[in-house]
Amino acid sequence: MTKGKIQKSSNKTSPRQGGAQSIRRSIAILRSVSKHNETGARLHQIAKAVDLPTPTVHRILTVLLEEKFLSFDIEGKTYRLGSELYSLGAATQRISIRDRYHTSLQRISGQTGDGTCLVIPSGYDGLCIDHIPGKYRIQVLGFDINERRPLGIGAACLALLSFLPEKQREDIIAANAPRYMTYYGIEDKEVRSWIKRTRKLKYSNSIHIVSSESIGVGAPILNKKGQVVAAISMAGINSRMTSEKRRETARIILAEIAAVDPPPD
Amino acid sequence: MTKGKIQKSSNKTSPRQGGAQSIRRSIAILRSVSKHNETGARLHQIAKAVDLPTPTVHRILTVLLEEKFLSFDIEGKTYRLGSELYSLGAATQRISIRDRYHTSLQRISGQTGDGTCLVIPSGYDGLCIDHIPGKYRIQVLGFDINERRPLGIGAACLALLSFLPEKQREDIIAANAPRYMTYYGIEDKEVRSWIKRTRKLKYSNSIHIVSSESIGVGAPILNKKGQVVAAISMAGINSRMTSEKRRETARIILAEIAAVDPPPD
DNA sequence: ATATAAAATTCCATATAATGGAATAAAATA
DNA sequence: TATTTTATTCCATTATATGGAATTTTATAT
């Protein structure tokens, strides 16, 4: 008996994946690997990060490896992002974000004298994809090409986070809260108040957050649909970055962004 | 009751996917989309290309869209590669192939006076990821950034193909044979003979293949493990490209490649 | 406008692909 | 050499992905 004629339309805990569990998992794994791409990620590490049993992760890693979405270092037994991702990444946009704004960065750097960088969202992080050093003798360094920083921290990452849709923003803040605290001693409450300010001004200020001696200014790049796809920021040492200079810098960055035909998506 | 105690260890036709069918399918779909990224690919088109039923493809596309591995143009109902692929692609190598060889390309172009390009393998194609125009008044154009060409056709794509492992090479030739014939009127036999020559010389010559007025020279870039990861080529008009000039160009390209610390993978 | 065809999307019963616990093997460490 | 940790293989079980059929939307012909 108990034939169970009534179909359980929703089962206890499974969150309804829509017939794509393994794909979602693969993507989570790729994102996890990308966070440790410099050192390379180990099976165990990845499994813990994505919260899945080791054999499952192992199987998925094997496929991604075969398809060159990952590469494997046999000595260290570590996984990194693979060449096929590079190929596909290179083919994404007819003109990539980087190409599109490279000369803008150069001009901003030329006008302000300080270092400028171009940052895109990548998971819960901002990823720096281009950087022009400033010409002053004393420079703020730190956010160089291929580096990552939690969304919300620093002028560019704050600009990115601020203009994401609210739901996504909250997800990211929740996920990053521990990092805010551990690495920067900042409560998520504070990040939310910065966001509010940033949205009002249309550009971000990052004051003594990443480093106590530097101040940054950043602005978002929106695509044709109005979604944030990147951000440009400039950072200088305190003494140079008066509030007047900050406003002026923001003006320059915003003007440069406005001058470029926005990316389609 | 015919409980079927004997397990069918191998079933009739299924080609043993190792628990990753949907992942493989997703990747095939991404590759297919990348081939039509400029115009965008439609559901039907993709389904035909990867030889799967439309609903299945539709479901996978939906996930890839949600995960930003694809973007969707609502007017044209077309799919393109998405921002997350760009992010992951940008994070692949500490220094990307493009950054690593950009100045080499500039130097080669400076020394030879002709246009140079950097090409990576992408599926059955070579994908141009960087290009420096030459300085002569008359230039060979054609292979520009983001363009694709079948592996085997043109100096760079021939260099790439020639130094792949034999099995992979044969797979690619088999897959590309129809395109060789249709678009260039070339038999796969010919391609194989070029490969032989290229492997012997350590660089490729592409004579009157892509265009009857131009000649190209290319050389492979091998990573630390000795695998081809990219190729550099230079193309000039016939009158300039004497056999002497070709040898000299090859020398320059090979020297430039040798001067750069090879990519790890 | 209206009919017709083609492509996109939703639905859902079913089978099979993906799962992950357990066992085993291989490294790392004591 | 023993012990722990991490990686890999195995395979019975079931939840997941599948794809045929139905429906809706969009394009094209009349």
Side-chain angles (χ1 to χ4, degrees), chain A residues 45-208:
Chain A
Q45 198 174 66
I46 302 168
K48 209 170 296 169
V50 299
D51 193 28
L52 286 172
T54 343
T56 301
V57 174
H58 183 262
R59 179 170 35 82
I60 295 175
L61 286 172
T62 307
V63 200
L64 294 175
L65 205 57
E66 276 175 25
E67 300 289 350
K68 300 246 181 153
F69 269 53
L70 291 176
S71 74
F72 184 60
D73 176 30
I74 205 154
E75 353 261 328
K77 304 231 165 205
T78 52
Y79 297 84
R80 276 159 223 264
L81 299 180
S83 57
E84 195 64 13
L85 273 177
Y86 185 74
S87 302
L88 289 172
T92 39
Q93 284 116 323
R94 192 128 201 32
I95 305 172
S96 76
I97 300 274
R98 184 181 152 164
D99 294 337
R100 198 178 282 258
Y101 292 97
H102 186 75
T103 50
S104 306
L105 282 200
Q106 289 180 316
R107 276 194 300 267
I108 295 168
S109 215
Q111 287 179 72
T112 62
D114 268 305
T116 325
C117 62
L118 177 66
V119 180
I120 57 174
S122 172
Y124 298 130
D125 298 333
L127 172 70
C128 176
I129 59 167
D130 201 5
H131 175 255
I132 308 280
K135 55 170 193 270
Y136 286 122
R137 189 68 182 282
I138 296 170
Q139 277 296 318
V140 176
L141 26 88
F143 210 16
D144 213 340
I145 294 178
N146 273 316
E147 282 190 272
R148 292 168 169 276
R149 204 170 276 170
L151 286 173
I153 300 295
C157 293
L158 178 56
L160 281 177
L161 182 59
S162 298
F163 294 93
L164 286 172
E166 183 168 7
K167 198 192 151 347
Q168 217 178 323
R169 225 157 61 206
E170 283 303 323
D171 287 350
I172 292 168
I173 294 173
N176 280 346
R179 292 201 287 168
Y180 293 156
M181 186 44 82
T182 326
Y183 297 118
Y184 306 93
I186 287 164
E187 296 214 48
D188 50 335
K189 222 177 102 179
E190 282 186 83
V191 175
R192 281 198 195 81
S193 81
W194 298 339
I195 290 174
K196 216 169 155 186
R197 185 179 153 79
T198 303
R199 291 178 65 91
K200 199 157 66 189
L201 290 174
K202 310 278 188 210
Y203 66 87
S204 63
N205 277 286
S206 163
I207 301 184
H208 306 178

Side-chain angles (χ1 to χ4, degrees), chain B residues 5 16 50 52 67 83 86 99-100 117 124 133 176 211 224 237 253 263-264:
Chain B
K5 24 163 90 153
R16 181 85 192 112
V50 299
L52 286 171
E67 299 290 350
S83 57
Y86 184 73
D99 294 336
R100 199 178 283 259
C117 62
Y124 298 129
N176 280 346
S211 138
K224 292 223 164 78
I237 57 169
I253 297 177

Side-chain angles (χ1 to χ4, degrees), chain B residues 4-183:
Chain B
K5 24 163 90 153
I6 292 157
Q7 293 255 111
K8 279 208 277 185
S9 61
S10 75
N11 45 6
K12 52 221 164 159
T13 40
S14 85
R16 181 85 192 112
Q17 283 273 73
Q21 190 183 67
S22 64
I23 302 174
R24 284 244 154 69
R25 288 176 169 187
S26 306
I27 291 174
I29 288 173
L30 288 175
R31 292 216 177 94
S32 169
V33 172
S34 92
K35 286 187 188 156
H36 307 278
N37 203 46
E38 298 84 22
T39 80
R42 302 199 64 163
L43 167 59
H44 221 76
Q45 200 173 61
I46 302 169
K48 210 172 294 168
V50 299
D51 192 29
L52 286 171
T54 342
T56 301
V57 174
H58 183 263
R59 181 169 33 82
I60 295 175
L61 287 172
T62 306
V63 198
L64 294 175
L65 205 56
E66 277 175 24
E67 299 290 350
K68 302 245 179 154
F69 269 53
L70 291 176
S71 73
F72 185 60
D73 176 31
I74 207 152
E75 354 261 329
K77 303 235 165 205
T78 52
Y79 296 84
R80 278 159 221 264
L81 300 181
S83 57
E84 195 64 12
L85 272 177
Y86 184 73
S87 302
L88 289 172
T92 40
Q93 283 116 323
R94 190 127 201 30
I95 304 171
S96 77
I97 300 272
R98 184 181 153 164
D99 294 336
R100 199 178 283 259
Y101 292 98
H102 187 74
T103 50
S104 306
L105 282 200
Q106 287 179 318
R107 276 195 300 266
I108 294 168
S109 213
Q111 285 179 73
T112 62
D114 268 304
T116 325
C117 62
L118 177 66
V119 181
I120 57 174
S122 172
Y124 298 129
D125 298 334
L127 171 70
C128 176
I129 58 166
D130 202 6
H131 174 256
I132 308 280
K135 57 171 192 271
Y136 286 122
R137 191 67 181 285
I138 296 170
Q139 277 297 319
V140 175
L141 25 87
F143 210 17
D144 214 338
I145 294 179
N146 273 318
E147 281 189 274
R148 291 166 170 278
R149 204 169 276 170
L151 285 173
I153 300 296
C157 292
L158 178 56
L160 281 177
L161 181 59
S162 298
F163 294 93
L164 286 171
E166 184 169 5
K167 198 190 151 349
Q168 217 179 323
R169 225 158 62 208
E170 283 303 323
D171 287 350
I172 292 168
I173 295 173
N176 280 346
R179 292 201 286 167
Y180 293 156
M181 186 45 81
T182 327
Y183 297 118

